[in-house]
Amino acid sequence: MTGSSGCTSLRGKRVKETCEYAEKVIDDVNKWMVIIQGSGNRLLENGREVTVNTIMKVVERARKKNVRVAVTSLLKRPACNEDYERLCKEVNRDLHEKKLVMKAESVRNREVGLSFLDMDDLIQAGCFLRDGVHLSQEEETKLSQRFIHWIRATHLLMEGRMN
């Protein structure tokens, strides 16, 4: 792999702030992959449309710069109410549907694709800290392992295209 790598945690940030940071990372010519681990902070305030459109704007920017991007599902939070859970599911569904459309376009046009990393199967209600919002260290490790798996698979795919 060429370029630099790094991990930045933007705990407590809204989706807009997370995506603004991701745009700066994408503009760094040494980056060829980015993972956006969706922010559910202020989800009810931002709403479904703003959240999805903000994330998809970053995805489009990445595609234009030939940067592979993975978007994770928003994580459920036991401490949040039913409205949050419903909106979280709707946003995840919309992101997944948009990913499918983009994936079809990228295959047709032989462009860099997009991945949607669904984290729901990893996360159980008892995996959060006492606040019911943040994951325990053990669960963060599970998420990290899923990210590493995607990075390795993407790297192998990209190597295959380059050879």
Side-chain angles (χ1 to χ4, degrees), residues 76-79 85 120-136 139:
K76 297 174 190 170
R77 295 176 174 175
E85 293 295 322
D120 279 347
D121 63 328
L122 286 179
I123 308 304
Q124 306 302 318
C127 301
F128 289 82
L129 297 176
R130 285 186 177 171
D131 65 4
V133 173
H134 297 101
L135 293 173
S136 68
E139 298 311 307

Side-chain angles (χ1 to χ4, degrees), residues 73-135:
S73 58
L74 298 183
L75 300 177
K76 297 174 190 170
R77 295 176 174 175
C80 294
N81 63 27
E82 289 178 23
D83 289 338
Y84 175 88
E85 293 295 322
R86 177 191 45 76
L87 191 55
C88 189
K89 286 178 184 177
E90 291 172 0
V91 166
N92 287 339
R93 185 187 65 234
D94 287 356
L95 289 172
H96 187 65
E97 287 173 1
K98 289 182 181 294
K99 185 241 10 174
L100 291 173
V101 170
M102 286 184 138
K103 201 157 203 87
E105 289 173 6
S106 65
V107 168
R108 192 171 37 252
N109 300 329
R110 296 179 182 250
E111 296 172 339
V112 168
L114 162 69
S115 299
F116 181 77
L117 305 177
D118 190 353
M119 301 298 188
D120 279 347
D121 63 328
L122 286 179
I123 308 304
Q124 306 302 318
C127 301
F128 289 82
L129 297 176
R130 285 186 177 171
D131 65 4
V133 173
H134 297 101
L135 293 173

Side-chain angles (χ1 to χ4, degrees), residues 34 39 42-43 49 54-55 61 67-69 77 91-92 105 112 114 120 138 160 163:
V34 173
S39 170
R42 301 287 200 300
L43 180 61
E49 188 175 332
T54 301
I55 293 170
R61 186 178 194 136
V67 174
R68 297 253 340 159
V69 63
R77 295 176 174 175
V91 166
N92 287 339
E105 289 173 6
V112 168
L114 162 69
D120 279 347
E138 182 180 334
N163 293 334

